[in-house]
Amino acid sequence: MDEHLLTAVNEAVQKKKFLKIQYQTELHEFLTVTTMIKKVGEKEGQLHLELVTGQEIPFAQLVKVGDVASDKFNSRDFTCDC
């Protein structure tokens, strides 16, 4: 379990603030939304985020919440070497 990312998610829920959430879809597309996280809960044995829009995102598909990135990625993944 990615403790840093989970802490960032729980903090965002408590503070009720809008932030940028990056995640991967089941088709491995990277998407970014700016929204609030309504709640975090378990569904089918997995942790899920429910956004205020009603959309649900599995915790395992999160890439970045605010400035906190998942342990699956390193800081170079978020730079542009153009």
Side-chain angles (χ1 to χ4, degrees), residues 1-13:
M1 177 68 61
D2 190 334
E3 296 297 327
H4 288 89
L5 192 59
L6 184 57
T7 300
V9 167
N10 287 326
E11 184 178 302
V13 171

Side-chain angles (χ1 to χ4, degrees), residues 11-44:
E11 184 178 302
V13 171
Q14 290 174 357
K15 292 185 177 181
K16 297 182 181 180
K17 65 180 187 177
F18 279 86
L19 44 78
K20 204 178 276 190
I21 299 171
Q22 295 177 327
Y23 64 98
Q24 277 186 302
T25 68
E26 292 176 359
L27 299 175
H28 301 286
E29 302 167 298
F30 282 90
L31 298 180
T32 303
V33 295
T34 302
T35 188
M36 286 188 338
I37 302 170
K38 184 176 181 180
K39 66 180 179 178
V40 180
E42 275 196 41
K43 183 177 179 182
E44 300 172 3

